[in-house]
Amino acid sequence: MSASMIGFVGILIMFGLLVLRVPVAFAMFSVGFLGITVLDSSRSAFSLLASETFTLASSPELVVIPLFILMGNVASITGMSQKLYDAAYAIIGQLRGGLASATVIGCGGFAALSGSSVASALTMGKVALGQMDRFKYNKRLSTGVVAAGGTLGILIPPSTGFVIYAILTEQSIGRLFLAGVLPGIMLLLLFILVITVICWFRPEFGPAGPATSWRNKGKALLGAGPIVAVILLTIGGIYGGLFSPVEAAAVGAGVVILVGFVTRSLSLKALWHASRDAVVTTATVMLILIAAHLINPFMALSHIPSAVGELLSGLGLGVTGTLILILAIYLVLGCFLEGFAMLVLTLPIFFPIILSLGIDPIWFGVLTVLTLEMGLISPPVGINVFIVKSVAPNVELGDIFRGVLPFWLMMILAVALLIIFPQIVLFLPNTMFG
């Protein structure tokens, strides 16, 4: 059996294990380790396992993951996310569809703290769904807004998806964070636009909330001051060159914890639970990354990237056509695989092809992460949809999927705009890093 055939058999086995609900890390580890053993030797497999584990464990870039997760956890526990939503609600809640738009803004703000789509959907679901129910918002719209708005957590920096992409492709985390700022804001505005259009044609879907006095608006904005300050400090610090991403994560986590203690909204017990959750999540990510670094040499030994590259080149689609085909593959896979797993599994195959075509890896990273977002609300997996279902058990799953459809279409539009106008992605990183 040829090396390429062994590689394709390994990929099929890996997908089979995932279908059987074997954890991603163990499925990848098993196939990568055994594949290297078959194509090279068990000595090489053990050597790679030891060296890659040590290299990843000692990588300073990975420190951003537990720190940003901790920052998001503490912000949720201390009620900062609630205050951010309250501020958005006070400003635009009296408009038709205003509560839904406020929810999107709240999701975007919380995304800038947590870097997690699941955490954004879960937190904002608990905060906003009750309010939208109180003002008789259509269930499809309210749940769709939360599920779709939560996906901003993987695009608006700091993003765990960008960190993983940077580690796997040896790209700059800082450049990727900056590259995600304008696309993230653009997508947030597109979500608000679709809410406005829906509520314009169907006013009963998003009735206007009560007017808020200027005094209450100011009070709500003042309450959101700490979380806004943390966002500006971390993202602005990276943008202004004051901090590296790791330093920004440390400063952000420290400030959020300090604010929690000063305002007496954070106890030592709550901090312990938030820290433990950050450690568990980080350990899971580390296992997957170690397994991914076993898959990479297995792919290289089996020559699958070159074989797939030759296949795509033979189609004669050109650079843009090949890029669109790869993104379409991500879109289809996103209907069946969890986004993070898909990123880790496919980059060893697609990234060498991207480089050979001369496509900017930062631009491709943002397009990839945005496509992964779409998988978070695509049936049948749609993890954010199931998260919202757990918060709103009285809403049918089908209604939530129908509710996210307009936002999914906006994501398609966003991908198209980023392909046509790559400077939306590249302007900030090229300006700051040259």
Side-chain angles (χ1 to χ4, degrees), residues 79-114:
M80 289 186 181
S81 51
Q82 172 74 59
K83 290 175 182 176
L84 183 67
Y85 173 80
D86 289 344
Y89 166 61
I91 296 171
I92 61 174
Q94 71 273 18
L95 303 177
R96 190 182 296 168
L99 279 175
S101 296
T103 300
V104 170
I105 295 171
C107 286
F110 188 74
L113 281 178
S114 68

Side-chain angles (χ1 to χ4, degrees), residues 15 329-330 333 341-351 368:
F15 277 106
I329 292 171
Y330 274 126
L333 289 177
M342 185 168 62
L343 185 70
V344 174
L345 291 173
T346 56
L347 278 178
I349 299 174
F350 289 140
F351 192 69
T368 300

Side-chain angles (χ1 to χ4, degrees), residues 26-109:
F26 293 107
M28 294 175 64
F29 170 81
S30 302
V31 171
F33 187 87
L34 293 176
I36 294 170
T37 300
V38 171
L39 293 175
D40 195 338
S41 66
S42 59
R43 183 174 180 178
S44 294
F46 278 112
S47 176
L48 280 168
L49 176 61
S51 62
E52 294 300 337
T53 301
F54 177 80
T55 300
L56 280 169
S58 58
S59 173
E61 289 84 2
L62 282 175
V63 176
V64 300
I65 295 177
L67 288 174
F68 277 133
I69 293 172
L70 176 62
M71 186 166 64
N73 288 347
V74 173
S76 178
I77 290 171
T78 56
M80 289 186 181
S81 51
Q82 172 74 59
K83 290 175 182 176
L84 183 67
Y85 173 80
D86 289 344
Y89 166 61
I91 296 171
I92 61 174
Q94 71 273 18
L95 303 177
R96 190 182 296 168
L99 279 175
S101 296
T103 300
V104 170
I105 295 171
C107 286

Side-chain angles (χ1 to χ4, degrees), residues 353-365:
I353 298 170
I354 290 301
L355 293 181
S356 67
L357 292 173
I359 294 173
D360 189 293
I362 300 296
W363 180 44
F364 178 69

Side-chain angles (χ1 to χ4, degrees), residues 355-433:
L355 293 181
S356 67
L357 292 173
I359 294 173
D360 189 293
I362 300 296
W363 180 44
F364 178 69
V366 173
L367 289 171
T368 300
V369 167
L370 179 52
T371 310
L372 295 183
E373 281 190 77
M374 298 175 69
L376 292 172
I377 56 174
S378 298
V381 176
I383 187 168
N384 270 24
V385 173
F386 286 93
I387 291 293
V388 173
K389 171 66 175 174
S390 70
V391 180
N394 59 322
V395 183
E396 295 293 330
L397 199 61
D399 285 337
I400 304 176
F401 274 117
R402 282 188 283 273
V404 301
L405 179 59
F407 302 97
W408 190 88
L409 294 175
M410 287 297 102
M411 289 179 165
I412 289 284
L413 176 59
V415 170
L417 289 173
L418 295 183
I419 291 175
I420 297 169
F421 305 107
Q423 282 307 310
I424 298 174
V425 173
L426 299 175
F427 175 74
L428 287 181
N430 287 347
T431 301
M432 297 309 302
F433 288 89

